Amino acid sequence: MTARRVVVAGAIVADRRLLLAQRGYPAEVDGLWELPGGKAELGESPESALRRELREELGVEVRVGTALRESVALRHDLVLVALRAYIEDGSPRAVEHRALRWVDADELRSLHAEGSLVPADTAWVPELLVDLARR
Ligand code: 9L3
Ligand code: MG
């Protein structure tokens, strides 16, 4: 059996808005919005991987919280998980993305309805809407 690798994504909610990042690659998802993050290195915990990825992609330091319930099989050996994250230092910048955007619940629903989210990330929309109603 092949070892399972993890891709981590950060659910950053503040002031009832969620931070979304617009991908520029690969072509199939160019222009679509995602929770920022990336692949954990071998032996790296999901929490450390997310702190590293958000430092690289957004230039921020985060505290990592709980995982969202849904996880998504990207391939047989690659699983995508989302962890709640809280910015402790820095202001997010689109270092590796086309753009960043803070969306409220209505904007998230609209992006989802118009097919503007990265397909894998759509599994999290119901849970994200609950979080957006809370903080
Ligand atoms: N991926 C999907 N949704 C996300 C993230 C962060 C990543 N929210 C997918 C895209 C790639 C793979 O996981 O197929 C690795 O991500 P990256 O390193 O290209 O960001
Ligand atoms: Mg990434």
Side-chain angles (χ1 to χ4, degrees), residues 3-133:
R4 269 203 145 184
R5 295 289 292 274
V6 177
V7 178
V8 287
I12 302 175
V13 174
D15 297 331
R16 299 196 177 225
R17 285 186 151 68
L18 169 72
L19 185 64
L20 291 180
Q22 189 177 36
R23 289 195 70 106
Y25 71 93
E28 315 86 80
V29 292
D30 184 10
L32 302 184
W33 296 85
E34 69 171 3
L35 300 187
K39 218 185 267 191
E41 310 283 357
L42 275 178
E44 187 181 39
S45 71
E47 291 77 13
S48 303
L50 185 61
R51 284 195 298 271
R52 177 183 52 73
E53 285 287 342
L54 297 185
R55 194 180 295 131
E56 291 170 0
E57 294 191 347
L58 309 176
V60 296
E61 294 298 323
V62 301
R63 173 172 67 78
V64 177
T66 53
L68 299 198
R69 243 175 318 102
E70 290 293 331
S71 62
V72 182
L74 290 176
R75 302 192 313 236
H76 71 289
D77 59 342
L78 204 58
V79 62
L80 174 65
V81 299
L83 302 171
R84 295 181 176 87
Y86 308 88
I87 295 176
E88 297 211 301
D89 196 39
S91 308
R93 285 175 294 119
V95 179
E96 296 182 7
H97 287 88
R98 283 192 182 285
L100 301 180
R101 163 171 186 199
W102 290 96
V103 298
D104 64 18
D106 284 343
E107 291 166 323
L108 180 61
R109 276 191 209 94
S110 301
L111 287 170
H112 184 31
E114 72 192 33
S116 294
L117 299 178
V118 166
D121 293 31
T122 58
W124 296 318
V125 169
E127 284 175 89
L128 291 169
L129 289 171
V130 172
D131 280 15
L132 281 169

